[in-house]
Amino acid sequence: MSTESTSTRLIPRATWALLACAWLVVGLFMALGAQWLAAPLRPSMAAGVFALLFATILAASFGVVRQADHLAHQLGEPYGTLILTLSIVAIEVILIASVLLGPGDFPTIGRDSIFAVMMIIMNLVMGMCLLTGWARHGDQEYNAQGAASYLSMIALLTGTALVLPNYTSGAGEFTRVQAAGMAVLTALLYGVFLWLQMRSCKRFFIQPPAGEMASPADAAAPMPAVATHAPAGRKTLLLRSALLLAMVLPIVLLAHYLAIVTDYGIAAAGAPPAIGGVLIAIIVFTPESITAVRAAMNNEMQRAINLCLGAFVSTVGLTVPAVLAIGLLTGKPVVMGVSATETLLFAVTLVLALLSFNGQRTSPVQGWMHLMLFGVFGMLLFQP
């Protein structure tokens, strides 16, 4: 069988078509982007360019998630979910960096993106997972040790990144020494967490046996498919990994153009600056959110928790060092401290999540509570 026919059998034609279209849009913007976005930018041109970029980046994000999801099933937990989560968070970091390094001045884009991801993932998506999973399977089981580990990381990393700056200076910024220290400490703790998640604490993040809320100490994740299906497994793994990278690159190359047109749109509409962070969160986490809801509907609540809570841990663990490093290297101001209202929303979200995953089975009551809290966030976004 030829290489081309084998690739077509492993990867649907629609995936190749999506990849071709994404790179076609990249080619168009590399050739004509400067002309299309030259000042003065007309509203009609800005709207058309934004629609094309938004659709292309969102479609490419779906492609990234699709390939990462296949790798997840091939490698088993927690490795698969880590690949999916890290791929998505890498896209977020790229989009935030493109805004920070762009011509505009958006010192709060990192903070706004992190906070928007928290409210979307931990309230909207988690609420939907609790409700849809309960509607199909009733109360669901999960690994309480893993949920507690995620929530502890969220409390520590988010508290030090978004709340602490309000008490170290009056402007919600870290000093240069503090920023360097926070970037190193955050990256170090996240690296240790990933290491333990893949090694000695791997059992915390595996769906426990029926009727249990934890996995036994000798539990292990399924062995990677490459170890048991040598040639075919390795070939599929390499092909899907290459496709994942090929889907990420168009997002990297188009992020700069999206930042330009987004800056123009926010200024022209007089919208709150936080809308930029919400937009990035929507683009990045829509595909993974759909995957999490599907996992809950398939009675895989631990996978849904790994995707949701793990995604936010990765968001803080990777975005904070990246944003602080960009600020240090470029000299641009980076405001990390959230407002008093957002601090209260963070505290309520954390307490609600702790109660929702307190070692018992899931409940639809908490699902409705999470959705209500997201509604409050949406209202205050436009009516602060």
Side-chain angles (χ1 to χ4, degrees), residues 15-75:
T15 300
W16 296 111
L18 172 61
L19 184 62
C21 290
W23 279 99
L24 175 61
V25 173
V26 170
L28 286 174
F29 273 90
M30 294 186 72
L32 303 172
Q35 177 182 338
W36 288 346
L37 299 176
L41 186 60
R42 291 178 285 112
S44 58
M45 175 61 76
V49 168
F50 176 80
L52 179 59
L53 287 171
F54 184 87
T56 303
I57 292 177
L58 186 61
S61 298
F62 271 101
V64 169
V65 169
R66 190 173 296 112
Q67 298 311 315
D69 201 35
H70 283 296
L71 290 172
H73 284 94
Q74 186 174 4
L75 294 174

Side-chain angles (χ1 to χ4, degrees), residues 55-325:
T56 303
I57 292 177
L58 186 61
S61 298
F62 271 101
V64 169
V65 169
R66 190 173 296 112
Q67 298 311 315
D69 201 35
H70 283 296
L71 290 172
H73 284 94
Q74 186 174 4
L75 294 174
E77 295 295 340
Y79 305 105
T81 299
L82 279 176
I83 291 175
L84 178 56
T85 298
L86 293 176
S87 300
I88 290 298
V89 175
I91 295 173
E92 182 194 20
V93 173
I94 291 165
L95 293 176
I96 293 174
S98 68
V99 175
L100 281 174
L101 298 174
D105 188 14
F106 294 92
T108 64
I109 187 64
R111 174 199 74 184
D112 294 339
S113 297
I114 293 172
F115 189 77
V117 169
M118 178 181 70
M119 299 307 293
I120 291 173
I121 290 290
M122 294 186 64
N123 288 315
L124 176 61
V125 180
M126 206 70 252
M128 293 175 62
C129 287
L130 292 174
L131 289 177
T132 56
W134 175 82
R136 182 166 290 189
H137 302 284
D139 299 348
Q140 292 178 288
E141 297 162 351
Y142 58 90
N143 196 318
Q145 290 176 304
S149 299
Y150 282 133
L151 292 172
S152 299
M153 286 286 290
I154 289 170
L156 176 59
L157 293 182
T158 310
T160 54
L162 302 187
V163 180
L164 182 62
N166 291 326
Y167 298 93
T168 59
S169 69
E173 299 180 50
F174 289 116
T175 65
R176 290 186 64 84
V177 174
Q178 289 171 345
M182 284 301 304
V184 171
L185 289 173
T186 300
L188 180 62
L189 176 60
Y190 181 64
V192 171
F193 180 79
L194 281 185
W195 174 261
L196 293 175
Q197 188 176 10
M198 292 185 293
R199 300 289 179 174
S200 59
C201 297
K202 183 169 54 177
R203 62 188 176 86
F204 292 178
F205 308 95
I206 302 172
Q207 183 73 35
E212 302 290 337
M213 298 302 294
S215 296
D218 58 349
M223 290 296 291
V226 290
T228 54
H229 307 294
R234 276 198 296 267
K235 182 175 183 178
T236 303
L237 185 66
L238 291 173
L239 179 58
R240 292 199 181 280
S241 299
L243 273 173
L244 188 149
L245 180 62
M247 289 286 187
V248 169
L249 286 177
I251 299 173
V252 175
L253 297 172
L254 295 176
H256 170 68
Y257 301 104
L258 181 66
I260 294 175
V261 73
T262 300
D263 295 349
Y264 170 84
I266 291 175
I275 292 295
V278 174
L279 180 63
I280 290 175
I282 291 173
I283 292 174
V284 172
F285 285 97
T286 293
E288 188 173 16
S289 299
I290 294 173
T291 304
V293 173
R294 285 176 176 169
M297 294 176 67
N298 291 334
N299 204 22
E300 299 174 332
M301 180 53 66
Q302 184 56 44
R303 177 162 162 74
I305 290 174
N306 289 348
L307 288 168
C308 292
L309 300 185
F312 185 59
V313 169
S314 298
T315 294
V316 185
L318 294 177
T319 304
V320 170
V323 168
L324 293 178

